[in-house]
Amino acid sequence: MTLDHLRILLVEDDELFRLGLQVRLQQERQIASLVEASDGETAIDLAKQQPFDLVLLDIGLPGLGGLETCRQLKLSHPSLPILALTSRNERSLVSRLVTAGAQGYCLKGVAAETLILAMRSVVAGASWWDANATAEIHNIFQNQSSEITSEDTSGARANLLTRREKEILLLISEHKTNQEIANLLYISAGTVRVHIHAILHKFGVSDRKQAIAYAIQNDYL
């Protein structure tokens, strides 16, 4: 999936940062609309009034706060992708973001190209976590492993990937090309590339071969 005709809700209380982000996103000509909110309460009301394809959500919001805003948005709109924006990446924040339902986060100050790629990944149904976040997510499930059976542990690990990522990972292990995967799943080759990038990003590897090895070693396949 590309950013074609996307309706984006940008929730950010820092006016200067919001303005800078607005200017950059408006350079993406395929974005249909960019609606802004400076607090969580306004964002929730806007989401009730009109549909959005993606929410860019500042975690450090005043009032309701970013995490609670994320939780309430996901309760009302379970399929609405939310990409968190934050200036910190403490491990404790990662688990709270996962619990709130965010599909990932970007640190403020990342290159614009990285943010755009993260947006594409989340809209395409993938997720976006950096190496530190991925390690923390692994740690969360590993800590749960003593309380569940080994069979359940495998299921918990698999849940680190979206359904589409699992499908593509399996096809990668069968040495399918991007175009072959696209044809089999009835999606574009560009969308396949986005999902593969997300898988590599999550696994902390640089190519398909390493991804397959990692998947086998960690019971994803």
Side-chain angles (χ1 to χ4, degrees):
M1 182 179 291
T2 66
L3 295 182
D4 290 354
H5 310 299
L6 283 188
R7 298 155 297 184
I8 297 175
L9 175 58
L10 170 60
V11 191
E12 169 61 61
D13 69 308
D14 185 324
E15 186 175 358
L16 289 177
F17 182 83
R18 189 172 70 242
L19 178 60
L21 191 53
Q22 175 194 52
V23 171
R24 176 60 186 87
L25 292 178
Q26 286 177 342
Q27 296 175 20
E28 297 294 319
R29 292 176 295 176
Q30 297 87 355
I31 293 179
S33 65
L34 178 63
V35 178
E36 299 177 23
S38 59
D39 58 70
E41 292 85 350
T42 302
I44 291 169
D45 287 341
L46 286 169
K48 291 177 181 177
Q49 297 169 16
Q50 57 186 296
F52 292 100
D53 302 300
L54 172 67
V55 177
L56 293 176
L57 177 64
D58 176 30
I59 293 303
L61 291 174
L64 190 62
L67 286 168
E68 180 60 20
T69 298
C70 180
R71 190 186 71 81
Q72 292 195 25
L73 284 171
K74 294 298 285 189
L75 283 174
S76 301
H77 314 279
S79 62
L80 177 61
I82 297 178
L83 180 66
L85 301 173
T86 178
S87 57
R88 16 181 217 112
N89 64 343
E90 294 94 338
R91 286 195 162 192
S92 60
L93 175 62
V94 175
S95 60
R96 285 181 286 168
L97 283 171
V98 171
T99 301
Q103 276 65 55
Y105 74 80
C106 264
L107 290 174
K108 293 183 177 180
V110 298
E113 293 74 16
T114 300
L115 175 60
I116 297 299
L117 181 58
M119 291 168 59
R120 291 181 186 276
S121 295
V122 170
V123 169
S127 55
W128 188 269
W129 305 100
D130 65 14
N132 289 336
T134 302
E136 176 59 15
I137 292 170
H138 278 287
N139 185 56
I140 292 169
F141 285 107
Q142 286 171 354
N143 287 342
Q144 293 175 347
S145 64
S146 61
E147 302 173 6
I148 55 181
T149 65
S150 59
E151 180 179 355
D152 289 337
T153 302
S154 298
R157 287 177 176 172
N159 285 335
L160 292 175
L161 300 179
T162 66
R163 177 185 59 80
R164 183 65 85 189
E165 288 168 356
K166 295 173 195 173
E167 293 173 343
I168 290 177
L169 179 62
L170 178 60
L171 293 171
I172 289 174
S173 72
E174 296 173 356
H175 306 290
K176 303 291 187 184
T177 66
N178 284 4
Q179 190 58 59
E180 287 173 335
I181 294 173
N183 293 340
L184 287 167
L185 298 180
Y186 301 100
I187 57 179
S188 71
T191 298
V192 173
R193 286 194 296 272
V194 168
H195 283 299
I196 291 175
H197 182 92
I199 293 169
L200 299 183
H201 189 78
K202 282 184 177 182
F203 286 178
V205 298
S206 58
D207 58 40
R208 290 167 173 247
K209 184 176 180 180
Q210 292 177 5
I212 294 171
Y214 182 93
I216 293 172
Q217 181 180 357
N218 291 276
D219 299 325
Y220 287 91
L221 290 173

